[in-house]
Amino acid sequence: MNPLQFCLLVSALLFSIGFAGAVTRRHAILVLVGIELMLNAGNLNLIAFWRFGPHPEALTGFIFVLFSMALAAAEAAVGLALVIAIYRHKKTSNLDEVKELKG
Amino acid sequence: MSLILVITAVVTLLAAVAAMSLRNLVHSALTLAVSFSGVAAIYLQLNAEFAGFTEILVYVGAIAILIVMAILLTRSGETPEKSVLTSGWLAGIAVTALVFTILGWAVLSSSALPAAPAVPPHVTVKDIGMQLMTQYVLPLEIIGLVLTVAMIGAVVIACKEEAPARILPVVAKTTEPQPAPGNPAAPIPAAAGAFKKAGAA
């Protein structure tokens, strides 16, 4: 196994852990934590491809990771604000109890 | 592939598993910070120093703290007695296993992966700044706009709503016997003041 494959496997595991947490945990904040882990796995993929790719001096994957981190920060801020707003309205952050939009 | 990289990856993955499986949310947030630090260490070993330090600044410094603040604000710091899993968690685990199987199979069997170059790339902060200010200057401006909009949106969503239309008519009814003469708009601010005082008391 070469280092690129190792990094991609670590990233796939990290993505799977985050995905499992996001779809199985009941608390809204932990769903956001899972999404953050999945974003980290994507960033790790980009960095690995940048490092072991044919043209690392072009910096494409690297710059993409910086932008992706900024978007992750924005997403976390808005997501946690939504969790707090839902908690204020319904006095719960349990996702099984927030189902007004369920068809 | 060095031994240090393997150890860092194992620590990162174990911390991520702990963050997703611990019952207490505060413990989850702390192990999440450990996992982010591990990812930053992997970046450092992949010659992406700037990305590693940005990861520590943004994720460990800001997002982990933001998550702890949200846990405190929603009063979910205690360990729950009931189940922490959703009703359909078995289906979730099955989908996760399927996703990981496909990803792992694709990584291990792909023949399109490039071989590692002999010389690791040497990137200085000056190079990154030059790229950001020349080729990627438009995305940089757009990301600044996105961050501003997200910040304003988060404040608007999370700030305490005043709700004057819902509360004030009830209060105004109780103060109806002494209306201010000649000025129909006057009772409402007065009632609002009275309500605020009563709420503070």
Side-chain angles (χ1 to χ4, degrees):
Chain A
M1 195 186 335
N2 60 35
L4 176 58
Q5 275 181 327
F6 177 75
C7 287
L8 294 185
L9 267 188
V10 169
S11 152
L13 262 173
L14 199 61
F15 183 89
S16 303
I17 292 166
F19 184 77
V23 294
T24 58
R25 288 301 292 259
R26 183 178 267 184
H27 201 284
I29 293 177
L30 272 173
V31 174
L32 283 172
V33 167
I35 292 172
E36 290 299 327
L37 281 178
M38 286 194 269
L39 277 166
N40 259 290
N43 285 349
L44 187 54
N45 253 355
L46 292 170
I47 286 282
F49 275 118
W50 165 77
R51 165 70 177 79
F52 298 112
H55 296 293
E57 70 281 349
L59 281 177
T60 42
F62 197 97
I63 303 280
F64 204 104
V65 166
L66 294 185
F67 287 137
S68 153
M69 277 183 188
L71 279 183
E75 170 260 327
V78 175
L80 290 172
L82 280 174
V83 171
I84 291 172
I86 289 173
Y87 177 79
R88 184 176 293 136
H89 277 286
K90 302 189 63 78
K91 297 293 166 217
T92 181
S93 40
N94 183 346
L95 287 178
D96 280 353
E97 295 171 24
V98 185
K99 52 187 176 193
E100 272 74 20
L101 293 179
K102 198 172 182 180
Chain B
M1 188 171 61
S2 66
L3 183 65
I4 303 175
L5 185 61
V6 178
I7 293 172
T8 325
V10 168
V11 169
T12 306
L13 292 175
L14 284 182
V17 169
M20 288 283 94
S21 59
L22 284 177
R23 296 177 65 85
N24 191 323
L25 275 184
V26 179
H27 299 169
S28 277
L30 294 178
T31 45
L32 181 75
V34 173
S35 180
F36 286 158
S37 311
V39 174
I42 294 178
Y43 287 172
L44 291 183
Q45 289 170 60
L46 292 180
N47 297 82
E49 287 87 2
F50 189 73
F53 293 127
T54 314
E55 168 98 12
I56 289 180
L57 268 179
V58 173
Y59 281 95
V60 184
I63 290 183
I65 300 300
L66 201 61
I67 286 170
V68 172
M69 296 297 284
I71 290 170
L72 296 181
L73 282 175
T74 56
R75 298 181 198 187
S76 36
E78 306 94 23
T79 310
E81 291 87 15
K82 294 185 294 178
S83 165
V84 294
L85 300 174
T86 53
S87 40
W89 65 275
L90 261 176
I93 294 291
V95 174
T96 307
L98 187 69
V99 166
F100 178 68
T101 312
I102 293 173
L103 282 177
W105 170 79
V107 167
L108 288 180
S109 70
S110 170
S111 57
L113 295 179
V119 269
H122 181 68
V123 175
T124 60
V125 182
K126 188 181 171 189
D127 297 337
I128 300 163
M130 286 297 288
Q131 288 283 324
L132 278 178
M133 280 297 135
T134 54
Q135 194 178 353
Y136 299 100
V137 67
L138 187 62
L140 188 71
E141 298 291 335
I142 293 173
I143 212 79
L145 189 67
V146 166
L147 278 177
T148 314
V149 170
M151 192 177 69
I152 295 173
V155 170
V156 167
I157 290 170
C159 78
K160 211 174 176 63
E161 66 250 65
E162 298 289 328
R166 215 175 37 194
I167 297 169
L168 275 182
V170 181
V171 182
K173 241 179 235 169
T174 62
T175 53
E176 251 176 4
Q178 52 270 25
N183 189 0
I188 295 185
F195 181 77
K196 258 181 206 161
K197 265 176 219 158

